[in-house]
Amino acid sequence: MSTQTTSGLAIETAGLVKTFGETRAVDGVDLAVPAGTVYGVLGPNGAGKTTTVKMLATLLRPDGGEAHVFGHDVVREADEVRGRVSLTGQYASVDEDLTGTENLVLLGRLLGHGKQAARERSAQLLEAFGLTEAAGKQVKHYSGGMRRRIDIAASILNTPDLLFLDEPTTGLDPRSRNQVWEIIRAVVAQGTTVMLTTQYLDEADQLASRIAVIDHGRVIAEGTKGELKASVGAGSVHLRLRDPAQRDLAAELLVRALDAHVQPEPDPVALTARLSAAASNDTAAEQAARALNELARAGVTVDNFSLGQPSLDEVFLALTGHGTGEADDADDRKDEVPA
């Protein structure tokens, strides 16, 4: 089955809305997701990410707007959409009392595979996901990383055209997260489109070709990683001072020299200044050099200095005014409404 549409898009939405009582969980979301890519949906808990995914996967009916998956309307052509997508949610969907093999064979049979074909596909996926040795163990004895891998394996028993991964690495240790990332890359290399929701900025930076930033149910920015980073400045200057008592003076001098926002870091001797592309005709390097000269003339000793493109952390903070882990109580409840 071809994953392409005439527009080359796996997902198109226009003004997508979902409300729960007085809460507007999704508030006019517009998306255009290219086929054959990883598309990141980045936002804090309660931003509306999961609700958006549930509507696209036909688990929730939109209250307004339109959504199409490979050209099929998610309301009028829900069966066609379901035949082309798979969803791995935030929590394991497999049966914890069954073994890895039993879970995959059972799901394979439900999907229409014969008994032998289901066993062969199960063994193939368990090997590919590094779970062969654990195949005969009950899933309740799996580690968090192993549960996420068996969950994703279950999602691709029949290779979907579009795979929704809703915060797939939440709570995992760094090694397990890297394993899941490699699986995602392998799935996309086989031609599947992946929509990845995450609140981890480094995850979106590592995997996604394009990223939509969602906050309070709205898309507040969208683009490639480079475009998003360029939208908030030409670069960032990171400084470590020798004397923490000089940090206030250094911040004042940086603001004056760069006409830039200066952010104190948790480290008492560290500062970050975000350069604005429109602030002057100088390059970022020239602006940074001028600032260092100002600090030296004022007797401020800089032990370490670096100049780089803004991080996604800085992009998100600049766009929303808060970090990805922050949301008020009402927002926290938005994505917890059951399908």
Side-chain angles (χ1 to χ4, degrees):
M1 181 185 295
S2 172
T3 63
Q4 296 294 323
T5 63
T6 54
S7 65
L9 296 176
I11 297 170
E12 289 182 272
T13 73
L16 199 60
V17 171
K18 185 65 186 177
T19 59
F20 299 108
E22 297 298 315
T23 301
R24 204 170 177 88
V26 176
D27 191 11
V29 165
D30 298 331
L31 295 173
V33 178
T37 65
V38 178
Y39 190 90
V41 180
L42 179 63
N45 285 331
K49 305 186 302 295
T50 296
T51 302
T52 298
V53 165
K54 286 182 177 179
M55 285 189 285
L56 293 173
T58 75
L59 297 177
L60 285 176
R61 188 183 182 94
D63 294 320
E66 295 184 350
H68 293 84
V69 173
F70 295 110
H72 298 294
D73 186 279
V74 298
V75 175
R76 295 190 300 271
E77 301 173 283
D79 287 343
E80 288 84 350
V81 173
R82 290 172 189 146
R84 303 190 69 171
V85 307
S86 189
L87 167 64
T88 295
Q90 297 176 25
Y91 307 101
S93 60
V94 293
D95 190 323
E96 292 195 341
D97 290 324
L98 298 180
T99 67
T101 294
E102 288 169 343
N103 267 291
L104 295 187
V105 169
L106 173 61
L107 290 170
R109 296 286 281 151
L110 291 172
L111 289 168
H113 294 276
K115 185 179 293 186
Q116 185 59 33
R119 287 192 172 279
E120 290 175 356
R121 181 60 172 158
S122 170
Q124 179 187 43
L125 288 169
L126 288 165
E127 181 179 2
F129 284 43
L131 294 170
T132 300
E133 292 185 7
K137 296 180 180 178
Q138 290 176 300
V139 171
K140 64 185 176 184
H141 299 305
Y142 283 16
S143 67
M146 292 166 68
R147 290 186 187 209
R148 298 313 288 158
R149 281 182 276 158
I150 194 75
D151 231 17
I152 297 173
S155 298
I156 61 172
L157 274 160
N158 284 350
T159 306
D161 291 336
L162 172 61
L163 176 60
F164 295 105
L165 292 176
D166 189 16
E167 302 196 17
T169 63
T170 297
L172 297 188
D173 60 80
R175 180 173 177 272
S176 296
R177 288 181 69 202
N178 283 328
Q179 289 174 336
V180 172
W181 290 356
E182 288 306 311
I183 289 168
I184 294 170
R185 293 185 182 106
V187 168
V188 175
Q190 296 299 313
T192 295
T193 304
V194 171
M195 174 178 269
L196 169 74
T197 75
T198 183
Q199 57 179 310
Y200 296 138
L201 296 146
D202 60 331
E203 186 159 86
D205 212 352
Q206 283 279 337
L207 296 172
S209 301
R210 297 187 70 84
I211 298 169
V213 180
I214 292 184
D215 197 33
H216 297 297
R218 299 185 181 94
V219 176
I220 59 173
E222 198 277 346
T224 65
K225 293 172 283 188
E227 289 168 347
L228 291 176
K229 291 175 181 180
S231 71
V232 300
S236 293
V237 176
H238 304 278
L239 300 173
R240 293 192 84 256
L241 308 176
R242 181 166 298 175
D243 184 358
Q246 292 186 317
R247 189 161 79 162
D248 288 345
L249 173 59
E252 181 182 334
L253 292 169
L254 288 171
V255 169
R256 189 161 60 222
L258 299 173
D259 190 23
H261 174 75
V262 177
Q263 176 69 40
E265 301 295 338
D267 183 340
V269 296
L271 288 166
T272 295
R274 189 170 66 245
L275 303 179
S276 170
S280 79
N281 293 323
D282 294 338
T283 66
E286 289 169 335
Q287 293 181 59
R290 186 171 63 250
L292 287 173
N293 286 334
E294 289 289 332
L295 292 171
R297 279 198 290 269
V300 176
T301 303
V302 177
D303 274 347
N304 187 275
F305 160 84
S306 65
L307 172 65
Q309 195 178 36
S311 67
L312 276 183
D313 299 75
E314 293 170 281
V315 171
F316 196 89
L317 184 62
L319 292 171
T320 67
H322 59 77
T324 55
E326 299 173 31
D328 62 34
D329 290 341
D331 287 335
D332 281 337
R333 292 192 295 269
K334 285 181 186 176
D335 282 355
E336 296 175 1
V337 179

